[in-house]
Amino acid sequence: VSTQSTGTWVYNPSKVYPPEWYAIPKHPDPQCKPKHNLYFLRTHQTGTSSVTNIFYRFGQENDLKFVMNALKLNLNYPGRINMHFLETAKPKEGYNILCQYSRYHRMDALRIMPDGAIFTTLLRNPVDQFLSVFHNHGIKEQIRNLQPHHNPYEEFFRNPRKLSLTASDSVFHLMQNSMSFDLGLDPLKFKDETAVDQLIKRIDNEFHLVMILELLDESLVLFRRLMCWDLQHVIYVKLSVNNEYSTSVSAEIREKIQDWNSVDKKLYDHFYKKLQGIISEQNEDFHKEVAALKRINADFWRECYSNVLPVFDGNKIGYTLQDTHADNRTCKTLATDDVTQTHIIGLRQFKDTLPPSDILMVKNHMQNLNKFNPAMLKWGDVYKVLDPENVSRHNNEL
């Protein structure tokens, strides 16, 4: 197969070994080496902020390279990935991790990722996922007809197809079956049962693990065994509010949401059942490891943070650090939101090409956000990484 020769990127796929080649070990193998190459199809409002934080931490700790547009949280989503930009920006070592918002396209994935990459994603109960989209993406404000109504869900489901067409381009693709859309299904085929079945079969064949938010700890233990990472690598803290408001939604509305997102329900039900099957085959060591992860997360939270602060920026959660852990970088990184993490990684990966105005933008962003989330990484933490020689020289002068 030919490679790039004329300034355009010619299809030159990597080798992606099938899921059966990567059977999740029932016993952690102390001899295995951590895998570094990961494709994570990031779905919307499924808990991916906390999960991508895991990947951001691991990548930075191991000096891995991320597939990303400088300082942006998405890869031209909901359109196709800009392959030409990624080729021109490609580090000489190649890419290791893709975990920004993008829409799954097999050809694009194989062109980007190195041989033997692990493919995974995260799904969530489609009713709760839709409610989260509705709340956190301001659907009531986006659709003018809903603004005067006390119960926007009830009004929306009087005529969901018509009202969803009035949504802005930024949220239209999230209004129905958005997890299936993210995984590559054409909205024109939402009613095509054959196409839906083919989507599920394709994801089954092409992804090594489909994680489920409602079984997150179990999913992460399976993931860490698949990747041969340490349990410490998959600790996480909650970074956003998940549907505390949904308790007021009636059973009738929940049923309508489920019917409206019937494709996502079929997708979710299949992979939830599959994951339950995998879990049922595990031995006692697995369940002990899940319990250990829960315990480590709780212990880490107690050691790192003293308070949970009021929600800010729609649904984000802020923390304050314990005085004893005020300089603990892991505590800070765990509490840092995904937009800021993207900025930090972008600064490191593109530091030689970013204009000063972009660097100043990141600095101002972090300083403003730190008022609401004092536990997050500060600009000084990033500056030390960006320019260690200058920091060292400055310290010597002091």
Side-chain angles (χ1 to χ4, degrees):
V1 181
S2 61
T3 56
Q4 184 182 1
S5 59
T6 60
T8 58
W9 202 354
V10 178
Y11 183 44
N12 186 16
S14 61
K15 296 176 183 177
V16 177
Y17 308 117
E20 55 267 26
W21 285 33
Y22 284 115
I24 300 170
K26 293 185 178 180
H27 300 279
D29 181 2
Q31 303 301 319
C32 70
K33 295 182 179 180
K35 298 180 180 72
H36 286 173
N37 301 324
L38 172 68
Y39 178 98
F40 177 67
L41 193 282
R42 185 171 182 182
T43 48
H44 287 76
Q45 300 301 319
T46 56
T48 56
S49 294
S50 296
V51 174
T52 51
N53 187 288
I54 292 170
F55 307 148
Y56 291 145
R57 292 197 324 270
F58 185 86
Q60 292 179 86
E61 288 171 8
N62 291 276
D63 197 25
L64 304 181
K65 303 304 178 185
F66 289 80
V67 182
M68 65 188 309
N69 294 330
L71 310 185
K72 291 184 178 179
L73 196 58
N74 72 79
L75 295 164
N76 199 41
Y77 182 89
R80 287 280 294 273
I81 291 173
N82 185 335
M83 304 301 293
H84 178 68
F85 170 81
L86 292 179
E87 174 63 9
T88 56
K90 188 176 182 179
K92 61 181 180 180
E93 309 93 331
Y95 291 117
N96 300 107
I97 296 176
L98 188 156
C99 60
Q100 306 300 82
Y101 285 114
S102 64
R103 194 161 177 235
Y104 182 57
H105 191 287
R106 185 65 170 178
M107 183 185 293
D108 291 349
L110 296 184
R111 290 164 78 177
I112 295 167
M113 301 306 299
D115 291 352
I118 295 294
F119 279 59
T120 185
T121 188
L122 179 65
L123 302 179
R124 181 184 186 183
N125 180 297
V127 174
D128 293 329
Q129 189 266 349
F130 177 85
L131 289 170
S132 192
V133 165
F134 209 97
H135 177 79
N136 295 327
H137 288 267
I139 302 303
K140 181 178 178 179
E141 291 71 31
Q142 291 274 351
I143 300 177
R144 186 165 50 188
N145 288 18
L146 301 181
Q147 292 174 12
H149 293 274
H150 175 68
N151 190 332
Y153 305 117
E154 188 174 296
E155 181 62 24
F156 177 79
F157 282 107
R158 292 184 194 279
N159 196 337
R161 194 162 304 281
K162 178 181 177 181
L163 288 176
S164 62
L165 289 172
T166 67
S168 68
D169 291 344
S170 63
V171 298
F172 173 73
H173 49 279
L174 301 177
M175 296 296 296
Q176 184 182 24
N177 296 315
S178 69
M179 293 186 292
S180 299
F181 175 84
D182 289 346
L183 284 163
L185 185 64
D186 188 331
L188 296 176
K189 296 184 177 180
F190 283 169
K191 294 186 177 182
D192 185 336
E193 290 190 16
T194 301
V196 172
D197 290 341
Q198 288 174 343
L199 167 75
I200 293 172
K201 183 178 180 180
R202 188 166 66 250
I203 300 306
D204 228 341
N205 291 333
E206 296 174 356
F207 280 67
H208 299 92
L209 176 66
V210 174
M211 297 185 283
I212 299 291
L213 180 63
E214 288 74 16
L215 297 168
L216 184 57
D217 292 321
E218 291 85 349
S219 295
L220 288 174
V221 169
L222 292 171
F223 172 81
R224 89 97 188 157
R225 289 186 174 190
L226 179 62
M227 296 297 290
C228 199
W229 292 3
D230 293 334
L231 197 60
Q232 291 282 347
H233 287 139
V234 295
I235 59 175
Y236 64 93
V237 299
K238 192 175 180 180
L239 293 175
S240 59
V241 174
N242 284 324
N243 284 6
E244 278 74 359
Y245 46 85
S246 69
T247 54
S248 61
V249 177
S250 68
E252 181 184 3
I253 292 297
R254 295 183 74 88
E255 187 173 342
K256 289 180 178 180
I257 292 172
Q258 186 168 278
D259 291 343
W260 175 245
N261 293 280
S262 60
V263 178
D264 272 1
K265 182 181 186 304
K266 191 170 186 178
L267 175 79
Y268 174 84
D269 286 350
H270 173 87
F271 285 105
Y272 185 92
K273 183 178 180 180
K274 181 178 180 179
L275 186 64
Q276 281 188 315
I278 295 172
I279 292 170
S280 70
E281 295 171 354
Q282 306 302 308
N283 58 23
E284 188 60 28
D285 286 346
F286 171 82
H287 298 287
K288 288 180 179 178
E289 197 169 332
V290 172
L293 177 59
K294 293 178 185 291
R295 185 175 61 253
I296 292 170
N297 275 332
D299 291 346
F300 211 92
W301 196 99
R302 189 165 50 251
E303 292 174 8
C304 283
Y305 313 113
S306 54
N307 290 299
V308 181
L309 300 180
V311 173
F312 68 97
D313 197 18
N315 68 329
K316 291 184 173 62
I317 299 174
Y319 298 95
T320 55
L321 287 167
Q322 296 278 13
D323 292 340
T324 54
H325 287 66
D327 296 319
N328 186 300
R329 188 174 180 88
T330 302
C331 293
K332 292 180 179 181
T333 306
L334 276 167
T336 301
D337 66 284
D338 51 358
V339 173
T340 303
Q341 288 276 24
T342 298
H343 288 170
I344 293 168
I345 294 168
L347 286 178
R348 295 181 64 176
Q349 202 160 304
F350 298 93
K351 66 179 181 180
D352 295 330
T353 58
L354 287 175
S357 57
D358 280 357
I359 297 174
L360 181 61
M361 181 273 291
V362 174
K363 178 181 179 181
N364 291 337
H365 163 85
M366 294 183 69
Q367 290 177 339
N368 288 334
L369 218 55
N370 191 249
K371 301 172 186 175
F372 304 98
N373 185 14
M376 65 178 279
L377 287 166
K378 296 178 173 57
W379 174 249
D381 301 314
V382 179
Y383 177 66
K384 292 174 187 175
V385 175
L386 285 176
D387 196 359
E389 292 182 4
N390 187 44
V391 171
S392 177
R393 190 163 54 246
H394 176 70
N395 289 339
N396 289 336
E397 290 172 359
L398 293 177

